[in-house]
Amino acid sequence: MSFEGSCHCGAVRFEVQGPIPTQAVSCNCSHCRRKGFLLSFVPAEQFTLVQGEDSLRSYRFNTHKIDHRFCQTCGIEAFAEGANPDGSAVRAVNLRCVPSIDLDALTLQKFDGAAA
């Protein structure tokens, strides 16, 4: 089982091996709030960037631990790269970039990133 997503213009495309998420993290940090992300965290080995490495640019802020990757053409951040507390590599997938997901059916987990 897998699911696919992309940036708005399609230059950046990815695939995730695993079930379609039924939950998403809604963070209120200054970045996520402004962009409206609904995030699902997956182990890096389950994430494949299918196309668009050369179209990606990076943005880091605050602690600079998360590499926010966005398309230089359309500006959409389809995913970010980071690490779990145990140090294992993780990808934060923006579920708004996955057309097959019914966003209204997701159970939202609120995360207070503004206080972190």
Side-chain angles (χ1 to χ4, degrees):
M1 184 174 260
S2 66
F3 60 94
E4 299 176 348
S6 69
C7 65
H8 188 257
C9 72
V12 176
R13 292 181 35 241
F14 64 87
E15 181 178 44
V16 176
Q17 293 298 317
I20 292 175
T22 59
Q23 298 181 355
V25 174
S26 177
C27 175
N28 67 351
C29 79
S30 61
H31 187 69
C32 291
R33 179 182 171 126
R34 283 172 174 79
K35 297 226 172 186
F37 293 136
L38 293 177
L39 300 171
S40 179
F41 295 85
V42 299
E45 60 270 8
Q46 292 180 349
F47 180 94
T48 302
L49 182 61
V50 175
Q51 85 176 32
E53 180 65 42
D54 56 335
S55 296
L56 288 168
R57 296 297 174 260
S58 292
Y59 176 65
R60 292 177 183 256
F61 72 102
N62 195 11
T63 63
H64 298 264
K65 292 180 180 178
I66 300 172
D67 188 6
H68 297 272
R69 309 291 306 272
F70 65 93
C71 175
Q72 69 178 350
T73 302
C74 66
I76 297 299
E77 181 181 328
F79 69 96
E81 300 172 344
N84 284 315
D86 67 4
S88 60
V90 68
R91 300 295 178 263
V93 175
N94 180 3
L95 296 180
R96 292 189 183 275
C97 294
V98 180
S100 63
I101 291 181
D102 178 2
L103 299 176
D104 292 329
L106 291 170
T107 299
L108 298 184
Q109 298 173 313
K110 306 283 184 168
F111 179 75
D112 190 2

